[in-house]
């Protein structure tokens, strides 16, 4: 049985009868006021529906446990009450889980998805079971300090303790049973195998400093949803829409009002990220992504789309051949930093040391002995160092 959720409808201030409907779904321990910056900006051109989810804010808190399906069906009931056939769904953390479920199970009701600081699976169930028990015994107040510490970056917490204190109070004021029963829902949540069922244009936003759903976790969403656009915001922890309100709102406006990022560009980025991971390995790519800043983000996007999504994805040469060509070219130009990375990646990718040695010998004839000598030295060290825990460099590519 669905719960009648408290919600607030704002806009459109432009008076358009055809304004798109945007539904905002927040995190565990929040109420709809967490979306105030986005409500203010998006309601110029959109009909914005901000929701208090079951057990949160002004919505009822029936006894649990709840499931993500039940939380999602509550949202569909709100759309029915408002006579909305389909909407753009924006979800953060737990709200992002609901958005994923809607994208897969109610595709006709979803025009686009924006998934922020969320996951296809939120860690291991036992942690959520323990948190649910703590909420039922001592209330969310007992959890508030630890939770709010994950919501905002350390820099923001130091600059504006009053701001952080306000959101700590929001967490503490949540219904104990509502909070606990939503923890029960997250304990059972694993949507990894169903991501491919989502067809809606999808924007995936991660906080670079988010300890709960870091970029490496959100990459699973970007990889699993066809054509998804992936952006990383910094500085931003788990509640990125507040810490990076301007950037988040701009990205949402582009995604919703612009019909989403150009599909071809999104597809190139998604394909490029898959190829990049297959060639360089997850560990290296995760470190590059997590080290992304506002300054380096355009280059990350560029190199992922062009080098990896275009050139490395072309069918004319297989990846082994491209690996060997890359080693030869980097040796010839004397780029030791990239050469070391690609030798190690090739060895991990199954290219045997003898083959790499032949490439270096061949390069010595046509590009010079000193460069190839250095290549042999790097290869020798890579073979000596290589292990499952081999440390990658911080290359941007």
């Amino acid at each position: 049985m669905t719960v009648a959720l408290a919600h607030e409808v704002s806009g459109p201030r432009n008076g358009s009868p055809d304004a798109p409907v945007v539904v905002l779904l927040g995190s565990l321990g929040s109420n709809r006021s967490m979306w105030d910056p986005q409500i203010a900006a998006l309601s110029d051109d959109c009909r914005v529906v901000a929701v208090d989810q079951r057990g949160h804010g002004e919505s009822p808190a029936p006894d649990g446990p709840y499931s993500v399906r039940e939380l999602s069906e509550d949202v569909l009931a709100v759309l029915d009450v408002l006579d909305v056939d389909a909407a753009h769904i924006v979800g953060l953390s737990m709200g992002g889980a609901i958005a994923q479920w809607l994208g897969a199970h109610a595709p006709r009701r979803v025009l686009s998805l924006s998934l922020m600081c969320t996951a296809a699976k939120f860690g291991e169930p036992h942690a959520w079971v323990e948190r649910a028990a703590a909420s039922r015994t001592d209330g969310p107040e007992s959890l508030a300090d630890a939770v709010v510490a994950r919501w905002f970056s350390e820099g923001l917490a130091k600059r504006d303790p009053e701001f952080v204190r306000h959101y700590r109070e929001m967490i503490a004021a949540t219904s104990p049973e509502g909070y606990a029963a939503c923890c029960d829902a997250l304990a059972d949540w694993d949507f990894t195998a169903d991501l491919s069922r989502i067809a809606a244009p999808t924007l995936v936003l991660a906080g670079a400093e988010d300890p709960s759903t870091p970029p490496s976790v959100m990459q699973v969403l970007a990889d699993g949803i066809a054509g998804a656009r992936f952006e990383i915001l910094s500085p931003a922890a788990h509640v990125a829409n507040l810490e990076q309100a301007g950037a988040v709102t701009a990205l949402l406006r582009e995604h919703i009002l612009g019909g989403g990022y150009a599909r071809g560009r999104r597809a190139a980025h998604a394909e490029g990220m898959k190829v990049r991971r297959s060639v360089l390995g997850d560990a290296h790519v995760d470190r590059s992504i997590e080290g992304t800043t506002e300054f380096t983000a355009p280059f990350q996007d560029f190199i992922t789309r062009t080098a990896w999504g275009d050139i490395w994805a072309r069918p004319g040469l297989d990846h082994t051949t491209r690996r060997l060509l890359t080693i030869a070219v980097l040796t010839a130009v004397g780029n030791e930093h990239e050469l070391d990375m690609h030798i190690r990646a090739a060895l991990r990718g199954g290219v045997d040391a003898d083959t790499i040695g032949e490439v270096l010998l061949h390069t010595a004839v046509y590009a010079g002995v000193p460069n190839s000598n250095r290549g042999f030295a790097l290869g020798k060290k890579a073979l000596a160092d290589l292990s499952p825990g081999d440390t990658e460099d911080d290359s941007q590519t």
Side-chain angles (χ1 to χ4, degrees), residues 36-355:
D36 282 352
Q38 285 71 46
I39 294 170
L42 293 176
S43 58
D44 284 342
D45 303 294
C46 303
R47 186 182 179 195
V48 181
V49 183
V51 174
D52 281 343
Q53 292 165 118
R54 182 188 296 212
H56 289 67
E58 297 175 341
S59 290
D63 290 342
Y66 309 155
S67 68
V68 171
R69 175 173 183 161
E70 289 173 324
L71 298 174
S72 303
E73 290 173 344
D74 290 345
V75 175
L76 291 176
V78 171
L79 295 182
D80 291 341
V81 167
L82 297 175
D83 197 25
V84 172
D85 291 331
H88 299 272
I89 309 296
V90 180
L92 187 147
S93 193
M94 182 175 73
I98 296 169
Q100 292 168 59
W101 191 96
L102 292 171
H105 291 279
R108 293 184 181 180
R109 311 299 298 270
V110 177
L111 297 174
S112 76
L113 292 178
S114 297
L115 307 177
M116 199 179 317
C117 302
T118 187
K121 184 177 187 294
F122 294 90
E124 297 304 320
H126 68 85
W128 294 105
V129 172
E130 291 172 0
R131 195 187 296 193
S135 182
R136 288 187 170 104
T137 301
D138 301 311
E141 167 70 33
S142 66
L143 303 164
D145 286 334
V147 173
V148 81
R150 294 191 290 270
W151 277 19
F152 304 109
S153 69
E154 184 178 352
L156 176 59
K158 289 180 178 178
R159 289 195 313 274
D160 198 345
E162 287 300 319
F163 177 85
V164 175
R165 186 173 297 113
H166 168 77
Y167 288 98
R168 184 201 179 281
E169 292 172 358
M170 174 187 287
I171 297 164
T174 305
S175 157
E177 178 58 21
Y179 191 100
C182 285
C183 288
D184 295 331
L186 296 180
D188 290 337
W189 173 250
D190 187 348
F191 211 62
T192 309
D194 293 306
L195 293 175
S196 61
R197 299 172 61 186
I198 296 174
T202 300
L203 173 65
V204 178
L205 298 179
E209 290 75 36
D210 183 0
S212 299
T213 54
S216 58
V217 168
M218 296 205 64
Q219 186 70 55
V220 174
L221 297 173
D223 289 344
I225 300 172
R229 176 186 179 184
F230 187 30
E231 297 287 344
I232 301 171
L233 303 167
S234 182
H238 193 54
V239 185
N241 75 297
L242 291 171
E243 188 157 3
Q244 288 285 341
V248 166
T249 302
L251 287 165
L252 291 177
R253 286 183 63 86
E254 177 187 12
H255 185 61
I256 293 166
L257 297 174
Y261 204 65
R263 187 173 288 274
R265 189 180 177 100
R266 287 203 315 269
H269 188 280
E271 177 63 21
M273 187 58 69
K274 292 177 183 177
V275 174
R276 186 178 174 189
R277 287 182 175 279
S278 72
V279 173
L280 299 180
D282 287 337
H284 169 81
V285 176
D286 286 347
R287 272 186 286 274
S288 292
I289 291 172
E290 290 171 10
T292 301
T293 66
E294 184 176 359
F295 178 70
T296 63
F299 180 74
Q300 283 284 337
D301 178 63
F302 165 77
I303 204 70
T304 301
R305 286 186 293 102
T306 55
W308 300 108
D310 185 0
I311 300 304
W312 276 83
R314 291 175 63 84
L317 296 173
D318 60 50
H319 278 183
T320 297
T321 303
R322 291 190 186 278
R323 289 180 190 274
L324 297 176
L325 280 172
T326 301
I327 290 171
V329 172
L330 291 173
T331 300
V333 300
N335 188 331
E336 293 185 14
H337 180 71
E338 296 279 328
L339 177 57
D340 183 54
M341 177 185 75
H342 278 277
I343 288 174
R344 291 171 184 268
L347 289 169
R348 280 194 302 273
V351 179
D352 63 83
D354 289 342
T355 300

Side-chain angles (χ1 to χ4, degrees), residues 340-396:
D340 183 54
M341 177 185 75
H342 278 277
I343 288 174
R344 291 171 184 268
L347 289 169
R348 280 194 302 273
V351 179
D352 63 83
D354 289 342
T355 300
I356 293 174
E358 289 297 324
V359 170
L360 294 172
L361 282 170
H362 194 82
T363 308
V365 174
Y366 293 97
V369 170
N371 284 354
S372 286
N373 183 53
R374 185 57 183 154
F376 273 108
L378 293 172
K380 179 181 177 181
K381 186 175 188 305
L383 285 167
D385 291 347
L386 199 58
S387 68
D390 185 35
T391 300
E392 292 282 344
D393 55 58
D394 60 355
S395 168
Q396 286 293 317

